[in-house]
């Protein structure tokens, strides 16, 4: 329908060569406005389609599925909870939130295969909405790995400020952070952003019992145009590509 309207306007301009300068300018502005509205109509329709999610967390295999999720976003494994103030947390978790920060996400799960409940905290700096600059100085979002103890307390064993994208790293789509997922010694951080061209990125870490630590397992990304969300380009990197990278040394901002 939008294309028909544009064609009709174009015809009316050509059929009326005697229009004054003001009328011509107004007609051109009207055509541009309709074109912009048509573009955003396509973009808004594409937003209804769920982004491509790389199911990178698996029990003990290197198989990765890439597909469009029609009903759910993320992996069906321990989804986190977003935007929790430190005052809403139990003291066992609130003690790990430094002054000037609050909780962006909490995700429970077994991170070190000892069958004790562990926790991943993602923090955000208070006021990041106004202070973060994706080009000059993105506000970092620390990710904390907390291991559950027998007395039901937690111990901080690892931290990385460069595993979660900043609040304005997602382009016009806004905050790209979507979720943290934990299962059986693996944990993944999921992102989704872009504009007309959309992208996803899922970073997965794996626990190595011999080292009692977590290492980068997979780095998966995909992209598609909002006008054709079924046509997806996917890239998955494994240890064969990047070697052995400890969790605390990974940097999502680092260019390849």
């Amino acid at each position: 329908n939008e294309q028909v309207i544009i064609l009709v306007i174009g015809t009316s301009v050509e059929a009326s060569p005697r229009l004054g300068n003001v009328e011509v300018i107004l007609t051109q502005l009207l055509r541009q406005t309709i074109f912009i509205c048509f573009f955003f109509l396509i973009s808004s329709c594409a937003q209804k389609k769920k982004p491509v999610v790389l199911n990178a967390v698996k029990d003990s295999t290197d198989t990765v599925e890439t597909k469009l999720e029609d009903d759910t976003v993320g992996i069906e494994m321990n989804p986190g909870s977003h935007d929790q103030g430190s005052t809403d947390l139990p003291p066992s978790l609130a003690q790990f939130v430094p002054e000037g920060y609050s909780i962006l996400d909490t995700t429970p799960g077994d991170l070190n295969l000892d069958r004790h409940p562990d926790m991943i905290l993602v923090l955000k700096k208070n006021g990041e909405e106004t202070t973060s600059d994706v080009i000059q100085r993105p506000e970092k979002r620390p990710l904390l790995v907390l291991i559950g103890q027998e007395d039901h307390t937690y111990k901080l064993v690892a931290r990385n400020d460069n595993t979660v994208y900043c609040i304005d790293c997602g382009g016009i789509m806004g905050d790209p952070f979507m979720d943290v997922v934990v299962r059986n010694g693996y944990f993944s951080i999921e992102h989704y952003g872009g504009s007309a061209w959309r992208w996803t990125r899922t970073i997965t870490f794996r626990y190595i019992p011999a080292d009692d630590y977590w290492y980068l397992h997979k780095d998966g990304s995909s992209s598609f145009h909002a006008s054709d969300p079924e046509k997806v380009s996917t890239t998955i990197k494994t240890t064969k590509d990047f070697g052995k990278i400890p969790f605390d040394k990974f940097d999502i901002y680092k260019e390849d």
Side-chain angles (χ1 to χ4, degrees):
N1 294 334
E2 290 79 3
Q3 291 177 334
V4 173
I5 293 173
I6 293 173
L7 291 174
V8 170
I9 293 174
T11 303
S12 65
V13 173
E14 293 177 0
S16 305
R18 296 181 181 180
L19 286 175
N21 292 335
V22 175
E23 289 83 354
V24 172
I25 293 174
L26 291 176
T27 302
Q28 292 175 344
L29 289 175
L30 179 59
R31 293 173 63 185
Q32 293 174 358
T33 301
I34 293 176
F35 175 77
I36 293 173
C37 292
F38 179 57
F39 172 79
F40 279 105
L41 178 62
I42 294 177
S43 298
S44 62
C45 290
Q47 288 182 25
K48 297 178 182 179
K49 176 68 71 175
K50 298 300 184 180
V52 176
V53 177
L54 300 177
N55 293 339
V57 176
K58 296 294 179 182
D59 289 336
S60 60
T61 70
D62 290 333
T63 302
V64 178
E65 297 180 11
T66 302
K67 62 181 179 179
L68 285 172
E69 299 288 357
D70 293 327
D71 300 319
T72 59
V73 175
I75 309 167
E76 297 178 1
M77 308 166 189
N78 296 353
S81 302
H82 297 301
D83 292 320
Q84 301 182 43
S86 58
T87 56
D88 299 328
L89 292 174
S92 59
L93 293 177
Q95 62 176 317
F96 298 106
V97 182
E99 184 177 355
Y101 285 82
S102 56
I103 295 293
L104 176 63
D105 185 85
T106 61
T107 306
D110 188 0
L111 291 167
N112 62 346
L113 306 178
D114 65 355
R115 299 188 179 278
H116 291 300
D118 307 312
M119 184 72 68
I120 285 184
L121 298 187
V122 178
L123 308 179
K124 63 176 182 177
K125 188 173 183 179
N126 296 336
E128 65 175 8
E129 301 85 356
T130 57
T131 60
S132 184
D133 185 332
V134 63
I135 298 177
Q136 298 295 331
R137 193 191 65 173
E139 289 290 1
K140 302 297 182 67
R141 291 168 155 181
L143 187 150
L144 312 183
V145 177
L146 307 179
I147 297 301
Q149 308 297 300
E150 292 185 359
D151 61 357
H152 304 292
T153 61
Y154 291 100
K155 178 181 179 181
L156 175 63
V157 297
R159 169 175 170 162
N160 188 324
D161 292 8
N162 298 301
T163 55
V164 179
Y165 276 127
C166 67
I167 188 173
D168 52 340
C169 288
I172 66 171
M173 295 297 294
D175 188 348
F177 175 70
M178 292 186 67
D179 206 0
V180 173
V181 179
V182 176
R183 183 177 181 183
N184 298 338
Y186 293 80
F187 66 91
S188 294
I189 303 99
E190 301 173 356
H191 298 92
Y192 171 53
S195 54
W197 278 100
R198 309 293 170 81
W199 56 265
T200 72
R201 189 172 183 185
T202 301
I203 312 297
T204 301
F205 296 90
R206 178 186 179 188
Y207 178 71
I208 305 297
D211 296 342
D212 193 23
Y213 204 70
W214 298 263
Y215 293 85
L216 183 62
H217 178 61
K218 283 187 174 69
D219 187 347
S221 61
S222 64
S223 63
F224 62 93
H225 197 274
S227 62
D228 190 9
E230 302 291 342
K231 187 177 181 180
V232 182
S233 174
T234 301
T235 301
I236 300 175
K237 297 180 180 179
T238 68
T239 54
K240 295 179 181 179
D241 302 299
F242 47 70
K244 192 174 183 179
I245 301 178
F247 162 71
D248 60 305
K249 301 299 182 183
F250 175 76
D251 188 350
I252 198 171
Y253 296 99
K254 184 178 180 180
E255 297 291 341
D256 292 336

